[in-house]
């Protein structure tokens, strides 16, 4: 399952004190933290038709108090996923209510590369 492989890669960032959550972080989670979710999925069969490769589009969000901290963490995520997927988009913004900065990265990933 792609989500397990992605979480295993992201939790290596967690080892430096960054919390990682699927979908949403618990209420009152203090930044910095990362959330991830599947934004799309497709199955691809091989030429032999006996094996299926799970391909998904995943959105990874990084929440921080400081803008530059978010950029640094985004680079750490990019390093972890280097050669394991295709980055489709990267944008940054700030939530008006919480004033947290966030980085959003969309990746195309497959389970054969993440396993």
């Amino acid at each position: 399952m792609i989500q397990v492989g992605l979480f295993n890669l992201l939790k290596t960032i967690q080892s430096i004190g960054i919390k990682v959550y699927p979908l949403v972080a618990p209420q009152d989670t203090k930044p910095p933290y990362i959330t991830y979710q599947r934004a799309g999925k497709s199955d691809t069969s091989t030429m032999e038709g006996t094996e299926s490769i799970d391909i998904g589009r995943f959105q990874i969000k990084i929440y921080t108090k400081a803008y530059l901290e978010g950029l640094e963490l985004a680079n750490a995520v990019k390093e972890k996923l280097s050669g394991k997927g295709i980055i489709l988009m990267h944008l940054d913004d700030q939530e008006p209510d919480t004033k947290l900065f966030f980085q959003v990265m969309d990746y195309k990933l497959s389970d054969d590369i993440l396993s």
Side-chain angles (χ1 to χ4, degrees), residues 71-83:
L71 289 176
E72 289 173 5
L73 289 174
N75 284 332
V77 168
K78 286 179 185 177
E79 284 179 26
K80 293 292 179 188
L81 292 174
S82 177

Side-chain angles (χ1 to χ4, degrees), residues 9-20:
L9 280 172
L10 292 176
K11 76 178 180 183
T12 62
I13 296 170
Q14 187 172 346
S15 70
I16 61 170
I18 310 303
K19 299 166 286 296
V20 178

